[in-house]
Amino acid sequence: MRVSVQEEPFDLGAEANRFAEGDTGSGAIVTFTGVVRDLAQGNLDVMEIEHYPGMTEKAIAAIADDARQRWSLADVLVIHRYGQLAPGDRIMMVATAARHRKDAFEAAEFLMDYLKSRAPFWKKEISGEGSDWVAAKDEDEAALDRW
Amino acid sequence: MDVLYFAWVRERIGIPKEKIDTEAATVADLVRELVAREERYAAAFADLSALRVALDQELSGFDAPLTGVREVAFFPPMTGG
């Protein structure tokens, strides 16, 4: 299992290859990538991501441990960036490896649902119009209920 | 204890972190102390339902005791992913 909270960009292909390498027991690898979405008006200049150093790493590790208890997983990878990002930049990725795809898919969805509402990150959208903190959505909180 | 603020809570209060000497028994007591201090704290803590609190880097609640706690953090609901 690897958790990385980092400011610098990551290479999606290289990370996915490294994650898959040498694992002959897993028949399924699922990866999810989160990308900075532009505003509806197409004028997002910067997405600034703030986090809580120390708690972030612990919270993500706890979520990943929880996933490993619930599903039969060979490995888990979580990379999440902070700092200043531009539209189209990759914010984060999750990868899961399992013998069978159901475990890999479900665990990846679980990780995403929990990272969204339980990992201490906050996003601010900065455009020519000003800046706004992205508000948490009720549906993101509700998404946790299904687990 | 160290008190940390993140996102718009940090912006409203104007600082990311401060040391506070307090006898407050619970998080809610600490919030009442801060609110009584200055308008910027009152503005940040106006609606507690819009806030979350972590004690020693674990999510907690406003009725939680502060006994033995070294680090308190206040922030809005998280928006990771």
Side-chain angles (χ1 to χ4, degrees), chain B residues 54-71:
Chain B
L55 301 181
D56 290 330
Q57 307 191 349
E58 295 272 354
L59 269 184
S60 190
F62 285 87
D63 53 359
L66 289 177
T67 323
V69 170
R70 283 170 301 176
E71 186 172 296

Side-chain angles (χ1 to χ4, degrees), chain A residues 1 55 70 72 79-80 82 102 106-107 119 122 130 134 145:
Chain A
M1 180 176 102
M55 178 172 170
R70 289 167 183 244
S72 179
I79 301 175
H80 203 303
Y82 60 89
K102 192 167 184 287
E106 284 187 9
W122 300 276
V134 175
D145 291 344

Side-chain angles (χ1 to χ4, degrees), chain A:
Chain A
M1 180 176 102
R2 186 163 78 90
V3 171
S4 176
V5 179
Q6 61 187 57
E7 188 159 16
E8 60 276 13
F10 57 87
D11 181 330
L12 176 59
E15 293 294 349
N17 283 334
R18 191 178 317 155
F19 183 73
E21 221 167 57
D23 178 4
T24 54
S26 295
I29 289 171
V30 165
T31 66
F32 171 87
T33 313
V35 179
V36 178
R37 182 176 48 231
D38 206 341
L39 297 167
Q41 301 87 335
N43 61 347
L44 180 69
D45 292 324
V46 173
M47 175 173 274
E48 205 168 83
I49 302 177
E50 180 172 336
H51 80 115
Y52 182 170
M55 178 172 170
T56 311
E57 293 81 357
K58 278 193 236 172
I60 297 176
I63 294 166
D65 280 341
D66 199 2
R68 299 189 76 160
Q69 307 258 321
R70 289 167 183 244
W71 291 277
S72 179
L73 300 172
D75 203 2
V76 174
L77 168 68
V78 179
I79 301 175
H80 203 303
R81 294 180 63 194
Y82 60 89
Q84 300 215 328
L85 284 78
D89 283 356
R90 290 166 189 148
I91 301 179
M92 57 91 63
M93 74 174 284
V94 154
T96 54
R99 278 195 88 73
H100 303 288
R101 73 172 186 273
K102 192 167 184 287
D103 287 305
F105 270 120
E106 284 187 9
E109 277 211 83
F110 169 89
L111 287 166
M112 287 314 306
D113 282 349
Y114 271 83
L115 288 169
K116 195 118 205 136
S117 311
R118 291 291 183 274
F121 289 97
W122 300 276
K123 295 184 181 127
K124 189 182 203 179
E125 292 170 334
I126 301 165
S127 72
E129 311 284 298
S131 64
D132 276 309
W133 289 99
V134 175
K137 297 193 193 79
D138 290 342
E139 67 217 53
D140 290 337
E141 190 64 32
L144 303 185
D145 291 344
R146 70 174 164 139
W147 305 111

